[in-house]
Amino acid sequence: MTEKNNRSNMESVPHPIDGDKGATDVGPRDVVRDKQNPDMFISPRTDSGTVDNLKFSFSDTHRRMEHGGWSREVTIRELPVSDTLAAVNMRLTPGGVRELHWHKEAEWAYMLDGRARITAIDGKGRSFIDDVEEGDLWYFPSGIPHSIVGLEEGAEFILVFDDGRFSENSTFSISDWFAHTPKDVLAKNFGVNESAFDHIPDGERYMYQGKVPGPIESEKPHDLNEPVPNPFSFKLLEETPIKTNGGQVRIADSNNFKASTTIASALVEVEPGGVRELHWHPNEAEWQYYIQGEARMTVFGAEGHARTFNYREGDVGYVPFMFGHYVENTGDEPLIFLEMFRSDHFDDISLNQWMSQTPPEFVKEHLHVDDDFMNKALHNDKRPNVKYKYSGYRGD
Ligand code: MN
Ligand code: MN
């Protein structure tokens, strides 16, 4: 039975029967999820061996509910294979505040919806205040204090941290510090009377409902220091995408987004019928966030190990370091996802390009392929106008 037959069988209540293998599934079962995961329900016969779980949906996480918004996270606790990166999905209401705080891990963000105002200072006291909107990124280096406020539209974003062990529930918050410092010390530190602190919160606020801020110029402190030399925000959608015959990609790493020294990212769009071609990354494991559409990915882990996963909107995916993989659009709409790396740069190696740069007779000898394959399939996409080397996509 072919993959396509598997998928069309998903119309009714499917059973895990693949030709002469398998048997009916009389339950208990979750038919909705079975149908969402056709390549896990009946794996391609090329799958083999034990591979770590490489998928976790934000729909399966605990949501922290607060005045002013909510947050939920996928960390090494939810997806144990992901020791490099962790993520938080957060929504802020108009005027919703993620309070002034800092943490050990660097924080990268992609704005999914709405607008927000972000603030920070760096270790030399240089200032940063900016308004961000859908498609914008930010990056706060390790230890840099920052805040986020939803503007008139509110805001939703995905935060990515450069350590899988991060938790949004254990950050250093300004209210928490005030609550746990003797008031006579606070008075001495700020040169005021202790009564100034009669009404401070008695613990961490984390998030709260505040007022929608006014125009950015009207709200800046009067004695603002010089700005940080490399802005902590970045307009990803203003980057010219690298277009291929099956989709496009925008890359942001420390080459163009100078501040982002520990996290590299690619916003990938694959057209229906297209596939992000077979490749691997020589620098780091890949962490993924699926923004739109449906996909399947098979990872190849050497020693005959391979496993296929299905992904959809709101899923986190992962590719262990060096594992070969493709990402295929299996839906009817463009597939949009983030490829993220704990690295200062994006890098990948295309199987196709590798083969095209190897003596042809040698390739034929390895794989028992003929001249027809060599002529049709292999071509070197040099893309001299492209700043980054990036493997292409293959459409149908
Ligand atoms: Mn933070
Ligand atoms: Mn990849």
Side-chain angles (χ1 to χ4, degrees):
M1 188 178 283
T2 68
E3 306 310 312
K4 280 209 161 57
N5 283 341
N6 287 349
R7 203 160 276 116
S8 61
N9 278 352
M10 293 286 146
E11 305 293 329
S12 53
V13 175
H15 288 280
I17 299 172
D18 180 15
D20 55 353
K21 292 186 174 179
T24 56
D25 182 351
V26 297
R29 58 184 292 192
D30 183 335
V31 174
V32 172
R33 293 180 86 139
D34 285 345
K35 287 183 167 186
Q36 288 178 351
N37 298 296
D39 298 287
M40 301 160 82
F41 189 75
I42 301 175
S43 297
R45 291 195 169 187
T46 42
D47 278 13
S48 174
T50 301
V51 174
D52 283 327
N53 177 47
L54 302 176
K55 172 181 177 175
F56 201 93
S57 171
F58 269 102
S59 293
D60 289 329
T61 62
H62 163 76
R63 195 190 310 264
R64 180 172 175 174
M65 304 290 285
E66 298 285 346
H67 297 290
W70 52 257
S71 68
R72 50 185 182 172
E73 63 188 21
V74 174
T75 72
I76 200 166
R77 299 160 197 84
E78 288 77 24
L79 184 62
V81 70
S82 181
D83 58 347
T84 53
L85 299 172
V88 170
N89 176 206
M90 188 180 292
R91 179 149 190 93
L92 295 172
T93 60
V97 175
R98 173 64 178 98
E99 80 161 292
L100 290 158
H101 71 283
W102 73 97
H103 34 76
K104 289 178 285 186
E105 302 78 5
E107 171 180 314
W108 179 100
Y110 178 81
M111 280 288 288
L112 296 163
D113 187 69
R115 291 197 310 134
R117 178 162 303 160
I118 52 177
T119 74
I121 69 160
D122 74 4
K124 293 187 166 63
R126 293 175 293 199
S127 68
F128 175 82
I129 304 178
D130 196 17
D131 289 349
V132 287
E133 60 186 0
E134 186 178 337
D136 290 351
L137 310 181
W138 71 72
Y139 178 89
F140 297 129
S142 170
I144 294 302
H146 53 276
S147 65
I148 314 160
V149 188
L151 297 179
E152 292 86 351
E153 307 85 346
E156 185 163 341
F157 39 90
I158 184 89
L159 302 169
V160 180
F161 302 87
D162 63 356
D163 186 340
R165 292 167 296 176
F166 174 84
S167 174
E168 180 69 7
N169 302 318
S170 55
T171 62
F172 295 87
S173 299
I174 193 170
S175 57
D176 198 18
W177 200 10
F178 266 68
H180 295 96
T181 303
K183 285 189 179 172
D184 62 309
V185 174
L186 287 175
K188 196 175 282 185
N189 186 73
F190 291 102
V192 296
N193 292 327
E194 277 186 47
S195 62
F197 308 105
D198 283 350
H199 305 293
I200 62 171
D202 59 5
E204 185 190 41
R205 299 192 80 179
Y206 179 70
M207 200 180 273
Y208 65 89
Q209 182 60 54
K211 285 196 285 284
V212 177
I216 193 164
E217 287 306 322
S218 70
E219 302 242 330
K220 284 181 177 174
H222 296 303
D223 54 350
L224 205 59
N225 290 347
E226 63 173 297
V228 294
N230 296 316
F232 293 144
S233 56
F234 185 77
K235 295 233 167 257
L236 182 61
L237 298 186
E238 289 182 4
E239 292 293 291
T240 305
I242 300 167
K243 288 185 185 291
T244 74
N245 64 350
Q248 63 178 27
V249 63
R250 289 180 173 89
I251 295 169
D253 63 17
S254 65
N255 288 296
N256 53 349
F257 184 11
K258 300 262 184 249
S260 189
T261 53
T262 64
I263 295 184
S265 60
L267 179 66
V268 180
E269 300 182 39
V270 182
E271 295 302 322
V275 61
R276 169 79 169 92
E277 68 171 342
L278 290 159
H279 68 282
W280 72 96
H281 303 274
N283 56 332
E284 255 301 353
E286 174 178 331
W287 183 97
Q288 304 167 333
Y289 178 66
Y290 287 86
I291 295 172
Q292 178 187 293
E294 295 177 31
R296 72 165 177 173
M297 174 172 78
T298 303
V299 297
F300 165 63
E303 297 183 273
H305 290 189
R307 186 166 293 184
T308 305
F309 295 83
N310 294 106
Y311 298 96
R312 58 179 44 238
E313 191 172 323
D315 285 346
V316 171
Y318 201 78
V319 184
F321 190 33
M322 293 300 181
F323 278 31
H325 54 288
Y326 67 87
V327 180
E328 181 183 15
N329 184 343
T330 52
D332 310 325
E333 59 179 338
L335 171 70
I336 303 174
F337 68 101
L338 289 165
E339 295 181 13
M340 309 286 308
F341 306 88
R342 187 173 64 186
S343 178
D344 64 350
H345 68 285
F346 180 92
D347 203 3
D348 73 351
I349 292 176
S350 151
L351 172 64
N352 193 306
Q353 197 172 48
W354 176 36
M355 291 167 70
S356 79
Q357 300 301 297
T358 305
E361 291 304 316
F362 198 49
V363 172
K364 286 162 64 180
E365 197 176 271
H366 273 76
L367 298 171
H368 304 149
V369 290
D370 59 19
D371 285 320
D372 192 44
F373 167 84
M374 298 301 288
N375 293 332
K376 278 185 185 158
L378 300 188
H379 47 86
N380 182 28
D381 184 0
K382 289 184 176 172
R383 282 163 296 170
N385 57 335
V386 172
K387 191 173 168 189
Y388 302 91
K389 179 171 68 62
Y390 193 81
S391 56
Y393 306 82
R394 311 287 161 204
D396 277 336

